[in-house]
Amino acid sequence: MPLVDNQMNPVMGIDLGTTFCAIASWDGRGPRIFPGFEGNYTTQSAVFYDEKENRYLVGKRAYLRYLVEPENGIIGVKRLMDDKNHVIHLGTKVHNPVEISSKILSKLYEDVLNKFPQNTFESRGTIVTVPYYFKAHQCANTREAAEMAQINFLGLIQEPIAAALAYSLDIVRGDENNDREETVLVFDLGGGTFDLTLFKLLQTRQKLVFEVLGTGGDDRLGGLDFDCDLKQFILTKVDTSALDEKARKIAIQKIIDSANTAKEALSFGPTYNLVVPYLIGDQHLDIDITREEFESCIKKYIQKVRNIIEDTFARAGVKKKDVTRVIKVGGSSKIPIFSKILQDGIGADRVYGNIDASLCVAQGAAIYAAYLDDKKVLGREIDIITRSAHALGLETADGGFFPLIPANRKLPYEYTQIFATDQDNMTQLEVAVYQGSSKIAHENSLIGKVYAQGLEPKPKGVLNIRITFKVNEEQRVTVLVEEPVSRIRVQQALSYA
């Protein structure tokens, strides 16, 4: 394929992160990260609506405006992708999380377009990343945002798989002629989500195989939580009681920003002198924070991470000593306490930082896009074998959760279960589909509902309802409801609840 196509019409990958995003293209030799409008290789996932100018800002400028006018902006929208109907007010504008995510994706793509002469650049196709621990409706909502953004959307790839692809590109090129097998742990701790993925990496001259062995995580655990708890600690050093509501809100937003700076600095040194000029009137904030104080602030999250690591290994049936390499991904993975946990549990000689934790997901997404575009791009076939991150099932008559597909089941997978009607003379049926681990349906995430109408009225227990769940590699869910007596066959791909 001519190089000019890869320059002006490349395939691309976008890491749609909770706090920061990145965009990369495949230039014919490897992934190339594009700097954003503000010159950085990552773009803050912040959106702000400027009412005076009637325009939306995305990135660092949006974040800085948000600190002063939080009612007109939003950060961390990725955490809201489990509820498409969540109402987001940006001043006088009203949006949902899908629309806000779409604006971020559009801006990333637009920043690349603006680096080329007008009407000369267009992506042949773009892959967008999602956490492995996302549920089906979160993936579907991300897919909708990508389609809305008009980036020539190709599909989704899970973030740890993308990171592993970025890592694998180096080993394939450095050791092309030898077969190898590794057991890899991807430790992905970003601004808002935590993903832990164990997989087997098999390299032969013909194939590169990624087989997921086990997953764990928490879509409400990340750098935003650490910032919030550190903010609370800093607030104990400041008296804001005399301020009016607006002034206090602005002071707190400044402290949140300072907490983020302190958190990052404490990854490189044992203490940090935090200075916020004119925090309250003429008063300046000037305090020293130690790494031990920061770790004390986030101790509940540290314990959560420990527990998730233990649970993931136990469910996968993998021993820590069998892990040959740990790949750290996400900005918060650089925090020393998490490196120590990995080094103590798995071995200091197995924890690597040889790929950029902030950029490798976008790079891997671009590699995958290149592979979908040209199966010979890496000189071998890529085979990705995924597993279900969550149990998938339906709500029973008593409100219980009946799982049809367990967590950690190799995908694609389908399973059929026959149920009897539980009421006399039923003429219609509602199948409520959930994902999660609770035995109570409503404590799990509602993925969607399938309706079957036209059942022949019969005494309860007479009609047999055949329900089939299918899940593909991208965690997309299809439900088939059949009842032969009534000649009913309803098949529906679930997009969102």
Side-chain angles (χ1 to χ4, degrees):
M1 188 172 294
L3 185 60
V4 66
D5 287 345
N6 286 317
Q7 290 177 335
M8 309 307 290
N9 302 110
V11 288
M12 308 185 76
I14 294 178
D15 173 14
L16 182 60
T18 309
T19 52
F20 285 91
C21 300
I23 184 169
S25 72
W26 179 264
D27 67 5
R29 296 174 296 274
R32 172 192 176 192
I33 295 287
F34 284 100
F37 173 74
E38 292 147 340
N40 301 313
Y41 284 108
T42 57
T43 298
Q44 284 185 277
S45 306
V47 177
F48 182 89
Y49 176 62
D50 184 333
E51 300 211 62
K52 291 183 180 178
E53 299 289 333
N54 189 26
R55 61 172 180 161
Y56 291 90
L57 303 177
V58 176
K60 186 176 182 180
R61 287 190 303 163
Y63 177 73
L64 293 175
R65 294 286 298 275
Y66 163 80
L67 292 177
V68 181
E69 301 175 66
E71 66 278 3
N72 280 38
I74 184 170
I75 61 173
V77 71
K78 186 173 179 178
R79 285 189 164 185
L80 303 175
M81 291 299 279
D82 58 349
D83 183 5
K84 179 184 176 181
N85 299 314
H86 184 92
V87 176
I88 299 170
H89 292 278
L90 301 185
T92 57
K93 297 291 185 179
V94 178
H95 295 284
N96 64 37
V98 170
E99 292 167 339
I100 295 296
S101 296
S102 176
K103 290 184 182 299
I104 296 171
L105 290 167
S106 294
K107 178 60 176 172
L108 290 166
Y109 187 67
E110 178 187 314
D111 284 350
V112 177
L113 288 180
N114 290 337
K115 298 181 189 305
F116 297 86
Q118 191 172 8
N119 299 323
T120 61
F121 183 94
E122 183 179 18
S123 170
R124 294 200 306 278
T126 304
I127 292 289
V128 177
T129 65
V130 290
Y132 202 106
Y133 214 63
F134 256 22
K135 295 183 176 72
H137 63 308
Q138 292 170 298
C139 293
N141 290 341
T142 305
R143 188 178 293 109
E144 184 178 346
E147 290 168 349
M148 189 183 297
Q150 297 184 339
I151 56 175
N152 290 329
F153 174 62
L154 275 179
L156 302 176
I157 187 173
Q158 293 96 342
E159 290 162 8
I161 299 295
L165 274 170
Y167 158 69
S168 300
L169 180 65
D170 286 340
I171 67 167
V172 165
R173 288 179 168 172
D175 191 18
E176 290 187 22
N177 299 317
N178 293 319
D179 293 352
R180 64 191 291 160
E181 183 176 320
E182 296 188 47
T183 300
V184 179
L185 174 68
V186 178
F187 181 90
D188 185 353
L189 184 58
T193 59
F194 175 45
D195 253 354
L196 199 67
T197 307
L198 275 163
F199 69 91
K200 185 174 290 184
L201 171 61
L202 176 65
Q203 176 194 326
T204 69
R205 295 186 184 185
Q206 293 78 35
K207 296 186 80 171
L208 194 60
V209 180
F210 302 86
E211 181 180 356
V212 175
L213 304 175
T215 65
D218 190 328
D219 60 7
R220 293 293 189 277
L221 198 165
L224 289 175
D225 304 292
F226 309 155
D227 293 349
C228 186
D229 282 12
L230 185 54
K231 173 204 74 176
Q232 294 297 336
F233 171 75
I234 296 169
L235 278 172
T236 64
K237 314 288 185 181
V238 183
D239 183 8
T240 61
S241 59
L243 298 178
D244 61 35
E245 184 179 352
K246 183 175 181 179
R248 187 173 187 276
K249 190 177 289 186
I250 291 173
I252 289 174
Q253 294 298 327
K254 288 182 180 179
I255 289 174
I256 290 174
D257 189 44
S258 302
N260 184 18
T261 303
K263 174 190 70 179
E264 294 176 358
L266 289 169
S267 292
F268 302 97
T271 40
Y272 178 71
N273 178 230
L274 179 69
V275 178
V276 183
Y278 303 104
L279 177 66
I280 301 173
D282 292 333
Q283 295 181 44
H284 312 303
L285 177 64
D286 187 348
I287 59 172
D288 288 328
I289 301 175
T290 68
R291 185 179 291 171
E292 288 75 16
E293 287 174 323
F294 169 58
E295 291 175 1
S296 178
C297 289
I298 65 168
K299 61 184 178 182
K300 66 181 178 184
Y301 296 111
I302 295 172
Q303 189 56 49
K304 272 190 176 183
V305 168
R306 292 184 193 274
N307 293 343
I308 290 169
I309 291 174
E310 296 301 323
D311 290 346
T312 302
F313 274 92
R315 287 200 311 271
V318 177
K319 296 179 180 178
K320 291 179 184 176
K321 67 179 181 63
D322 295 332
V323 173
T324 52
R325 183 176 296 259
V326 178
I327 301 173
K328 295 194 299 178
V329 180
S332 295
S333 72
K334 302 172 187 176
I335 295 173
I337 184 62
F338 298 118
S339 292
K340 185 176 187 304
I341 289 171
L342 294 169
Q343 290 168 0
D344 290 348
I346 297 171
D349 60 330
R350 301 177 191 179
V351 181
Y352 286 76
N354 58 322
I355 59 175
D356 192 310
S358 300
L359 302 179
C360 63
V361 172
Q363 291 170 331
I367 294 168
Y368 187 58
Y371 174 74
L372 293 181
D373 186 60
D374 177 8
K375 296 295 175 68
K376 298 178 181 179
V377 72
L378 295 183
R380 68 202 67 206
E381 182 184 347
I382 295 177
D383 191 5
I384 299 174
I385 304 168
T386 58
R387 290 178 182 266
S388 53
H390 307 273
L392 182 73
L394 49 79
E395 182 179 10
T396 57
D398 60 358
F401 176 62
F402 188 96
L404 271 73
I405 298 180
N408 209 39
R409 186 56 53 93
K410 190 180 292 187
L411 301 178
Y413 187 81
E414 69 175 80
Y415 184 79
T416 300
Q417 181 76 31
I418 296 176
F419 297 87
T421 52
D422 62 343
Q423 298 176 31
D424 292 333
N425 302 318
M426 290 180 65
T427 59
Q428 60 183 11
L429 182 70
E430 176 188 281
V431 179
V433 181
Y434 288 85
Q435 265 187 322
S437 57
S438 174
K439 294 180 180 180
I440 301 172
H442 289 276
E443 292 181 357
N444 296 317
S445 294
L446 178 64
I447 302 305
K449 295 181 179 181
V450 179
Y451 299 93
Q453 297 179 331
L455 294 175
E456 286 198 15
K458 298 285 185 181
K460 66 179 180 180
V462 172
L463 295 182
N464 290 323
I465 312 297
R466 182 183 177 92
I467 298 178
T468 302
F469 280 16
K470 301 176 184 179
V471 185
N472 72 359
E473 295 88 344
E474 283 190 4
Q475 310 269 356
R476 297 187 80 165
V477 179
T478 302
V479 176
L480 174 62
V481 180
E482 298 172 290
E483 200 292 294
V485 173
S486 311
R487 297 182 180 179
I488 286 176
R489 189 179 191 276
V490 178
Q491 180 165 297
Q492 183 173 328
L494 300 182
S495 55
Y496 53 84

